[in-house]
Amino acid sequence: LAAHQVTLGLAALTYMVGAGISVAGSVQVAGAFGKNDRKLVLESATHALIAVALFMLFFCSLFILIPEHLISLFIQNNSVLEMATSILL
């Protein structure tokens, strides 16, 4: 249960930041749409998409390369650490 909770916490952290960037991007797109600026709409949407993709790629690489270090931020029990690492990957 502890291993599952830790991995869910890491996944939720990643998802929430990506969702926040997406919401901010949608506000920018809506503002550009309200100004009838098609170029700014496409530019804002592209920037938001790239920002979310880069953030997710960064966390994906952390999950693959150093899962033990991420999980050890939450818990120090070795058996839980091993289980959480296998769940995360």
Side-chain angles (χ1 to χ4, degrees), residues 1-24:
L1 186 60
H4 190 256
Q5 189 67 33
V6 169
T7 54
L8 280 178
L10 286 170
L13 173 71
T14 305
Y15 168 77
M16 289 305 214
V17 174
I21 295 171
S22 297
V23 169

Side-chain angles (χ1 to χ4, degrees), residues 5-66:
Q5 189 67 33
V6 169
T7 54
L8 280 178
L10 286 170
L13 173 71
T14 305
Y15 168 77
M16 289 305 214
V17 174
I21 295 171
S22 297
V23 169
S26 70
V27 170
Q28 292 293 320
V29 169
F33 185 77
K35 295 178 185 176
N36 289 325
D37 189 347
R38 182 180 172 91
K39 182 180 180 228
L40 188 58
V41 167
L42 293 174
E43 185 178 297
S44 298
T46 303
H47 288 164
L49 182 63
I50 290 171
V52 170
L54 288 175
F55 177 79
M56 291 297 188
L57 180 64
F58 174 71
F59 263 93
C60 179
S61 63
L62 288 180
F63 284 0
I64 292 170
L65 297 174
I66 57 167

